[in-house]
Amino acid sequence: MREVSKGSPKGEFYGAQLSLYCGQSADCVNEGIDIPHYTPPTVSLRPAPDPSKVSRIALRHGFSSPLAPSILAVRGFEPESEALERFLNPTLATLPDPFRMLGFRGALEEFLRYAQSKRPIFLMGDYDCDGITSVLQVHHFSLSLGIKTVPIFPVRSVHGFGMHKEIIAQALAKHGPGLIITFDYGIKNNREIEYAKSLGFKVVVFDHHYVGESRCNADYVVCPGQSGCGFEDNILCSSGLAYLFVSALRERLNAGHKVDMGRYLELSALGTIADMVPLLGTNRAIVKGGLEHMSSTSWPVFSEILRIQRGAPVWASDVAFGLQPHINAVGRLGDVNQVAMGLLTSDMLTALEVSEKLDTFNLERQSLERSCANDVLRDLGRASALPDVIVRSGTGFHPGVVGIVCSRLVELYRRPALLFAEKDGVLTGSGRSIPGFNLIEALCGCSDLFLKFGGHPAAVGATLVKDNLPQLQKALSAAFCMERSLGKVALPAIEVDLSLSLQDITPEGVLELYRLDPFGVGNPPPVVRISGLCVERKDRFGTFRDHTSFVLTDGSSRINGVQWHWERGGVRVGDRVTAVGTPVVSRFSGQVELDIEVLTVE
């Protein structure tokens, strides 16, 4: 469900659509600010499904409404196929053998050697959900078996992304040399790794970011994207790798009777959803299993934030727009080290205190995003035309929120965006891309402009001097135009699965759509087109009154429509419209009702 802050008129959460590619939960606002250079997205309608296939899917898999079977049919699933069976019923029993992964066996053996000799083991993770949940899985598992590990996270405002010599030196001074295991970074930290080795540390890297031609000089590297690996088509994030690592340790140590793997499945599902990796194959099995466990979660902090009745289903959108932004907000604005262990508490009072801290960070994050987004919109409004790649910087931008604002800009304008916070002539920022434009490769093509950079095709982080920003704008625009001229990239269209009437949207049918969950990258939420509607009412809601709600009617039935963030389309009460969006179930104060999350209005 989409995040709405505590105390807002609609409650803490509301039904939500996961972005198709790179969107993350963000509550930006533009109330009172026009959206410059906005053009409605192109809408593409899939061919109508074969009625015979729809009926056979419904019969074989127990659907009572044709809605979900129709979605499956138009997306190419055959009624009797194993692919459809695996999609609807993913199982952890089919998880791949992690020992096929390059470096995995050596990493596990190194961990066990240090554990058995009781030498220090440092778990160093990134400050986002993927890094945090990776470290917490291995740390909690180790504690349950009496193995001491030391979790350490960088502070974004002090250290930035990746390994840092200061953190390594502090670990040495406090604990002596030992084994460093990094999660969600390290693949590009050869200088820091060499420094650690010179002090007597061994280094293992668990990462999933872009490797390129360079070779990481850690003792063992577990990264599916490295040359000679290609494990699971390189779709796992670090949290998924950590789950496989803990599973292998459990089996190796014969610790099945001591360890509840469901707890770690929840953490891995959170990290996987948050990191926007494809929710297919192994990732789908991990997330599906984790969400099932989360309905009766073992982590009280999760329960406090989600506020969903125990035993009720938890959907990917609940995590993406509830848990994830609260936890990520700490890494964006504060020090993860101060709250990370609190996420593992079993004490309800402590869990309440931790959740309140997270909510405070999240409210601040929303406010900073709002300011940054509005500044960017004003700046774009002063330009004569919208650039092919949006590149902007500002002294008032907070480096912890620019990535989310980039996601909102990509969602709004359907083109890549990079934003940088400026301080003392140095720019630190993030970028997000669209399908077909490999952003990390584009940055590699102008690598001489950066002090440092990293990431993957859809998202990057970078640091450069301010004077290089105009050259970066030119280089990225040229790369984008080249890719577009070659037919490799086009501005994304909204792909509509079905054209329906309002009468086709029933509670039973929409609830059955959640059997297709988790939705996200690789499995976008269903999108329908409903014509013949009239706007009966229109309101704003949310902490900053940045979201728009509608009551839509066809004359005999009604449905609530919701448009998140910037209002698009200029709809007025009394207008006749066609709504394009995702049917969802919203849960508020124990009540269940149907909404359509409006992507565009025709």
Side-chain angles (χ1 to χ4, degrees):
M1 288 176 283
R2 179 75 67 166
E3 166 205 14
V4 178
S5 299
K6 292 177 182 177
S8 71
K10 289 285 185 178
E12 185 178 3
F13 301 125
Y14 209 83
Q17 149 126 1
L18 286 171
S19 170
L20 303 189
Y21 189 61
C22 64
Q24 299 180 28
S25 174
D27 280 273
C28 307
V29 64
N30 74 310
E31 189 168 18
I33 295 179
D34 292 330
I35 301 176
H37 310 299
Y38 176 75
T39 56
T42 302
V43 174
S44 172
L45 182 62
R46 294 180 189 262
D50 180 341
S52 171
K53 289 185 178 181
V54 173
S55 298
R56 285 154 54 202
I57 290 173
L59 181 63
R60 185 177 182 88
H61 294 281
F63 290 101
S64 62
S65 163
L67 185 56
S70 296
I71 298 291
L72 292 167
V74 299
R75 293 187 177 186
F77 285 103
E78 294 295 330
E80 290 80 26
S81 67
E82 289 186 15
L84 179 55
E85 178 65 33
R86 288 195 302 269
F87 178 82
L88 291 174
N89 303 294
T91 171
L92 296 171
T94 60
L95 288 183
D97 177 9
F99 289 100
R100 293 193 288 107
M101 202 171 355
L102 196 64
F104 189 89
R105 187 179 300 277
L108 184 137
E109 297 294 344
E110 199 69 64
F111 178 91
L112 291 175
R113 278 194 290 271
Y114 274 78
Q116 289 162 2
S117 62
K118 300 189 183 302
R119 288 178 287 172
I121 300 175
F122 304 94
L123 307 177
M124 297 187 178
D126 188 23
Y127 39 64
D128 70 356
C129 262
D130 189 24
I132 294 169
T133 54
S134 299
V135 167
L136 293 186
Q137 286 180 74
V138 180
H139 177 65
H140 189 275
F141 172 85
S142 300
L143 281 179
S144 68
L145 297 182
I147 300 171
K148 183 180 179 182
T149 58
V150 182
I152 303 175
F153 301 93
V155 179
R156 185 172 195 146
S157 61
V158 176
H159 308 110
F161 175 79
M163 296 182 75
H164 200 281
K165 290 182 178 180
E166 179 186 349
I167 294 176
I168 297 168
Q170 289 172 350
L172 177 68
K174 191 170 183 179
H175 302 280
L179 173 64
I180 293 174
I181 306 180
T182 72
F183 291 95
D184 203 28
Y185 63 67
I187 202 75
K188 291 280 193 179
N189 287 117
N190 278 343
R191 281 183 294 184
E192 291 79 8
I193 290 171
E194 281 302 319
Y195 175 72
K197 286 182 173 182
S198 73
L199 299 178
F201 289 91
K202 287 269 193 173
V203 182
V204 170
V205 167
F206 279 79
D207 203 350
H208 70 110
H209 289 98
Y210 182 79
V211 180
E213 299 300 320
S214 61
R215 180 182 178 277
C216 180
N217 58 5
D219 294 283
Y220 296 100
V221 179
V222 182
C223 179
Q226 66 181 308
S227 178
C229 188
F231 182 78
E232 287 296 287
D233 296 324
N234 192 25
I235 66 169
L236 274 76
C237 62
S238 291
S239 194
L241 298 176
Y243 181 77
L244 294 179
F245 187 61
V246 168
S247 298
L249 285 170
R250 173 177 176 261
E251 184 173 337
R252 178 67 177 272
L253 297 171
N254 295 316
H257 62 291
K258 297 181 180 179
V259 177
D260 174 16
M261 290 300 293
R263 301 169 72 94
Y264 310 126
L265 202 57
E266 291 184 45
L267 291 168
S268 185
L270 167 57
T272 300
I273 291 170
D275 222 54
M276 302 300 292
V277 290
L279 296 184
L280 304 170
T282 298
N283 286 339
R284 183 170 175 81
I286 287 173
V287 172
K288 189 87 167 181
L291 293 175
E292 289 173 358
H293 277 272
M294 216 175 281
S295 67
S296 299
T297 182
S298 303
W299 308 112
V301 173
F302 287 11
S303 180
E304 282 294 326
I305 295 173
L306 286 172
R307 299 287 179 89
I308 293 174
Q309 184 178 355
R310 191 168 182 82
V314 176
W315 298 317
S317 54
D318 299 321
V319 174
F321 300 102
L323 277 179
Q324 183 254 118
H326 280 77
I327 294 171
N328 267 346
V330 182
R332 296 182 188 281
L333 306 180
D335 183 353
V336 173
N337 296 285
Q338 296 179 2
V339 298
M341 294 306 101
L343 294 171
L344 300 179
T345 186
S346 58
D347 178 71
M348 293 303 298
L349 183 59
T350 303
L352 178 60
E353 293 172 352
V354 171
S355 70
E356 288 175 346
K357 287 181 182 178
L358 297 179
D359 199 58
T360 299
F361 275 112
N362 198 40
L363 287 170
E364 182 183 359
R365 184 268 303 170
Q366 291 173 359
S367 178
L368 289 167
E369 279 180 38
R370 178 177 185 263
S371 174
C372 179
N374 288 346
D375 285 348
V376 174
L377 287 177
R378 291 188 187 98
D379 189 43
L380 290 174
R382 289 189 285 268
S384 59
L386 193 66
D388 292 311
V389 180
I390 297 170
V391 180
R392 291 292 187 273
S393 68
T395 55
F397 295 178
H398 192 290
V401 303
V402 290
I404 307 179
V405 179
C406 282
S407 296
R408 299 275 66 83
L409 293 170
V410 171
E411 184 179 351
L412 183 65
Y413 289 115
R414 306 178 306 285
R415 63 193 65 213
L418 294 91
L419 298 178
F420 297 91
E422 178 185 340
K423 184 178 181 181
D424 300 328
V426 176
L427 306 181
T428 302
S430 299
R432 301 291 184 268
S433 194
I434 61 175
F437 186 64
N438 189 319
L439 194 51
I440 187 64
E441 284 191 357
L443 264 58
C444 287
C446 53
S447 59
D448 57 314
L449 299 178
F450 301 101
L451 299 175
K452 62 178 181 178
F453 70 95
H456 47 78
V460 298
T463 302
L464 69 161
V465 297
K466 181 181 178 181
D467 291 344
N468 286 348
L469 192 67
Q471 293 172 264
L472 177 62
Q473 174 77 77
K474 291 179 182 178
L476 292 179
S477 293
F480 186 84
C481 289
M482 175 63 73
E483 294 295 291
R484 187 165 56 185
S485 69
L486 296 174
K488 295 181 179 180
V489 61
L491 298 185
I494 296 176
E495 192 162 25
V496 176
D497 294 294
L498 300 171
S499 187
L500 303 174
S501 71
L502 193 52
Q503 307 303 316
D504 296 320
I505 309 295
T506 65
E508 297 79 15
V510 175
L511 280 170
E512 285 184 339
L513 287 177
Y514 286 91
R515 288 182 59 185
L516 282 58
D517 197 50
F519 298 117
V521 176
N523 181 39
V527 176
V528 302
R529 184 176 183 269
I530 308 173
S531 57
L533 300 176
C534 179
V535 180
E536 196 171 74
R537 195 175 75 231
K538 175 182 173 181
D539 296 295
R540 287 185 180 273
F541 69 95
T543 302
F544 304 113
R545 300 191 63 77
D546 52 334
H547 310 305
T548 306
S549 65
F550 312 93
V551 174
L552 304 172
T553 180
D554 64 357
S556 59
S557 300
R558 291 176 176 81
I559 192 169
N560 294 323
V562 181
Q563 197 167 51
W564 301 108
H565 312 300
W566 296 294
E567 182 188 345
R568 302 170 294 282
V571 174
R572 295 170 296 185
V573 173
D575 283 352
R576 304 290 298 182
V577 300
T578 294
V580 176
T582 297
V584 297
V585 171
S586 67
R587 297 177 286 191
F588 173 59
S589 298
Q591 297 180 352
V592 176
E593 60 182 33
L594 299 186
D595 289 348
I596 179 167
E597 297 192 337
V598 179
L599 301 177
T600 191
V601 175
E602 300 174 330

